[in-house]
Amino acid sequence: MRKVGVIGAGQMGNGIAHVIALGGHDVILADISKERAIEALGIIRHNMERQVNRGLTTQSAMDEAIGRITATDKLSDMSDVDLAIEAATEKENVKVGIFKELCESLKPEALLATNTSSISITRLAASTDRPEKFIGMHFMNPVPVMKLVEVIRGIATSEETYKIACQFISDLGKDVAIAEDFPAFIVNRILLPMINEAIYTLYEGVGSVEAIDKAMRLGANHPMGPLQLADFIGLDTCLSIMQVLYEGLADTKYRPCPLLVKYVEAGWIGRKAGRGFYDYSGDEPIPTR
């Protein structure tokens, strides 16, 4: 894995590129505009500087890693990568469109991975020209901090692809959890219904935003309240995952809370929009309900 392509320079994509570059690999970081990819490089630099200040890496390692990352807006620049990781928005039609364009440029032996947090790996693999070389690599957010990567095999994923993917992740200093190809896999199958239930608790007036988050931080020893975590993940992503669970498992317990739907419709999708269950316009987040 000398060179790795990362498609999508948002929160997950720039984190994945960050970790892979620090791991000693050349990275091509692509987004729909070169400006967004270059902006992501600035975010990566800032996050690496924080690691240097905390003694988690060295200045020389950071400088070398930044030098390994190339920003682009052309998927055709992925022609010589050994592995391409898609980290675009959690919408199946968007991902499929990326794979169809990407496969026109990838060399035949290149592996293809998706960072999807909920969508069927088998179904995504079937939209490519290499389902046996396709695998799910679900990195956790924030990628430079979180140790876990879920690895999910599609029905056509070869044993060789699986072994290479696990070794690659291990070489990055991450731990692997093997998940079967079911909607939302392991982490989000458990986490997102809890967040959805917290939103129902707010919707039904059982507690305020502040009370619900405090209850789970202090009563269940969670490092972050579920509504604060939802804002961090992005309410649009939370809704997409709940919809995948609801449609994929056909169980009403996974029905997205109407309040979650309303917030997404309003564009109040969390920290990245400046407003969700908290208002982030000031120095400190303020609950919105």
Side-chain angles (χ1 to χ4, degrees), residues 127-198:
S127 71
T128 76
D129 62 356
R130 61 196 72 206
E132 74 286 352
K133 296 181 181 297
F134 191 98
I135 198 161
M137 292 184 185
H138 179 211
F139 289 80
M140 303 294 133
N141 188 29
V143 181
V145 175
M146 303 296 280
K147 293 285 290 182
L148 185 73
V149 179
E150 283 182 312
V151 171
I152 312 98
R153 300 173 69 165
I155 194 170
T157 305
S158 71
E159 184 68 17
E160 181 184 15
T161 298
Y162 165 73
K163 288 180 178 177
I164 291 172
C166 289
Q167 187 61 56
F168 173 72
I169 291 164
S170 179
D171 290 345
L172 295 177
K174 303 292 187 185
D175 289 328
V176 170
I178 307 301
E180 293 298 322
D181 192 13
F182 279 82
F185 318 130
I186 297 172
V187 173
N188 283 332
R189 172 76 177 266
I190 298 168
L191 177 63
L192 264 297
M194 184 200 74
I195 289 174
N196 195 52
E197 193 63 29

Side-chain angles (χ1 to χ4, degrees), residues 229-244:
L229 179 57
D231 275 359
F232 183 75
I233 294 169
L235 303 190
D236 52 342
T237 300
C238 292
L239 178 58
S240 292
I241 295 169
M242 288 308 303
Q243 288 169 332
V244 167

Side-chain angles (χ1 to χ4, degrees), residues 37-47 49 66:
I38 291 171
E39 182 182 340
L41 273 176
I43 295 170
I44 292 169
R45 182 182 295 276
H46 173 71
N47 289 337
E49 286 172 348
I66 292 294

Side-chain angles (χ1 to χ4, degrees), residues 7-215:
I7 301 94
Q11 192 172 38
M12 292 306 298
N14 73 57
I16 293 168
H18 173 143
V19 168
I20 292 173
L22 271 182
H25 306 273
D26 292 333
V27 178
I28 305 292
L29 179 60
D31 208 297
I32 55 174
S33 74
K34 193 165 184 178
E35 290 74 20
R36 287 180 61 169
I38 291 171
E39 182 182 340
L41 273 176
I43 295 170
I44 292 169
R45 182 182 295 276
H46 173 71
N47 289 337
M48 285 187 183
E49 286 172 348
R50 293 170 62 186
Q51 289 181 308
V52 171
N53 293 336
R54 294 174 182 174
L56 300 175
T57 190
T58 64
Q59 185 66 49
S60 61
M62 170 187 155
D63 293 340
E64 290 175 9
I66 292 294
R68 294 188 189 105
I69 306 173
T70 302
T72 186
D73 58 355
K74 297 180 176 64
L75 293 184
S76 58
D77 289 341
M78 303 278 177
S79 60
D80 62 343
V81 302
D82 303 299
L83 166 67
I85 303 173
E86 172 275 318
T89 185
E90 193 68 359
K91 295 185 184 297
E92 186 167 345
N93 63 322
V94 173
K95 293 180 184 295
V96 168
I98 288 170
F99 295 139
K100 288 189 180 299
E101 182 180 350
L102 184 60
C103 286
E104 295 176 359
S105 299
L106 289 180
K107 59 188 180 184
E109 63 270 27
L111 302 188
L112 188 52
T114 176
N115 185 58
T116 181
S117 54
S118 60
I119 300 169
S120 166
I121 303 303
T122 296
R123 198 163 63 241
L124 290 176
S127 71
T128 76
D129 62 356
R130 61 196 72 206
E132 74 286 352
K133 296 181 181 297
F134 191 98
I135 198 161
M137 292 184 185
H138 179 211
F139 289 80
M140 303 294 133
N141 188 29
V143 181
V145 175
M146 303 296 280
K147 293 285 290 182
L148 185 73
V149 179
E150 283 182 312
V151 171
I152 312 98
R153 300 173 69 165
I155 194 170
T157 305
S158 71
E159 184 68 17
E160 181 184 15
T161 298
Y162 165 73
K163 288 180 178 177
I164 291 172
C166 289
Q167 187 61 56
F168 173 72
I169 291 164
S170 179
D171 290 345
L172 295 177
K174 303 292 187 185
D175 289 328
V176 170
I178 307 301
E180 293 298 322
D181 192 13
F182 279 82
F185 318 130
I186 297 172
V187 173
N188 283 332
R189 172 76 177 266
I190 298 168
L191 177 63
L192 264 297
M194 184 200 74
I195 289 174
N196 195 52
E197 193 63 29
I199 300 170
Y200 265 115
T201 304
L202 177 65
Y203 178 59
E204 294 168 0
V206 180
S208 66
V209 168
E210 187 175 22
I212 292 165
D213 278 353
K214 180 185 289 186

Side-chain angles (χ1 to χ4, degrees), residues 213-270:
D213 278 353
K214 180 185 289 186
M216 295 306 292
R217 285 198 315 271
L218 303 183
N221 203 30
H222 289 193
M224 185 184 292
L227 301 177
Q228 183 186 7
L229 179 57
D231 275 359
F232 183 75
I233 294 169
L235 303 190
D236 52 342
T237 300
C238 292
L239 178 58
S240 292
I241 295 169
M242 288 308 303
Q243 288 169 332
V244 167
L245 281 167
Y246 186 45
E247 294 165 8
L249 298 173
D251 192 323
T252 56
K253 73 180 181 180
Y254 297 115
R255 183 172 71 97
C257 178
L259 185 61
L260 173 60
V261 176
K262 187 177 293 186
Y263 268 57
V264 173
E265 289 175 343
W268 297 356
I269 57 174

